[in-house]
Amino acid sequence: MKLNNKKAGIRVEGIQPFLDKIEHLGPKIQGRVALAAVKAASAEVRKKGQRIVKSKALGDGMRPSGQKRIHLWKSIINKAKAYGKDKIPVGTIGTQYKVTPHDHLVHDGTSPHIIKIPKKKPLFGRQLEVRHPGARAFPFMKFALEESREAQQKAMVNKILKRIEVELQKDKDKK
């Protein structure tokens, strides 16, 4: 059986065994199971993204203020939330902008530009400027999404099976 949901933009195949198990559980419980599965899948993408970025990291960066910059791989996070009246679960994976405001520059790359170094007093009567040659794009989130597809599917299936068993056990305990 295939499940098509054009509104959500998904197509899921091979879910009949899951549907048979949860068909008598209410939509609220089914939503909780789906949300847990989406969160597990997004966690796999986050882990892969962290590994990819960490493997390419060259060392600690510096902020224009001179403070050390936190590594980009440490700021990659994942969240899952149900949206809309249909409570469609959505997983979000990304970086914390306040922690690593340079993440989009790494991901999308930069063209050659001038960096003005902030100083309280100009150096030699003028502000210090540095010519940056630009940087090639390193779309680590795209790589993480593509390389973790199998792990995402396994995580979703495992989480769905575990949550269904938990919910069925709760249902039996109530009776």
Side-chain angles (χ1 to χ4, degrees), residues 118-157:
K119 288 279 186 183
K120 291 185 179 178
K121 294 181 183 177
L123 189 63
F124 305 115
R126 62 179 188 179
Q127 186 169 11
L128 184 61
E129 294 180 347
V130 177
R131 281 192 173 274
H132 191 287
R136 202 173 334 156
F138 179 55
F140 56 92
M141 292 307 296
K142 181 180 176 184
F143 297 151
L145 185 63
E146 291 170 359
E147 292 178 18
S148 66
R149 289 203 188 275
E150 285 183 38
Q152 292 172 52
Q153 291 172 351
K154 285 181 184 177
M156 284 189 84
V157 168

Side-chain angles (χ1 to χ4, degrees), residues 63-152:
R63 295 181 183 270
S65 64
Q67 296 174 325
K68 278 191 174 182
R69 185 176 273 162
I70 293 175
H71 276 290
L72 179 59
W73 65 270
K74 290 181 181 178
S75 76
I76 299 174
I77 59 170
N78 68 295
K79 294 180 182 179
K81 186 176 177 184
Y83 289 94
K85 68 175 186 168
D86 295 335
K87 299 294 184 191
I88 297 170
V90 176
T92 306
I93 304 100
T95 57
Q96 298 170 311
Y97 182 75
K98 289 185 178 182
V99 176
T100 53
H102 64 288
D103 55 4
H104 67 286
L105 301 172
V106 173
H107 193 274
D108 301 331
T110 63
S111 58
H113 58 282
I114 295 174
I115 301 172
K116 293 182 179 181
I117 307 297
K119 288 279 186 183
K120 291 185 179 178
K121 294 181 183 177
L123 189 63
F124 305 115
R126 62 179 188 179
Q127 186 169 11
L128 184 61
E129 294 180 347
V130 177
R131 281 192 173 274
H132 191 287
R136 202 173 334 156
F138 179 55
F140 56 92
M141 292 307 296
K142 181 180 176 184
F143 297 151
L145 185 63
E146 291 170 359
E147 292 178 18
S148 66
R149 289 203 188 275
E150 285 183 38
Q152 292 172 52

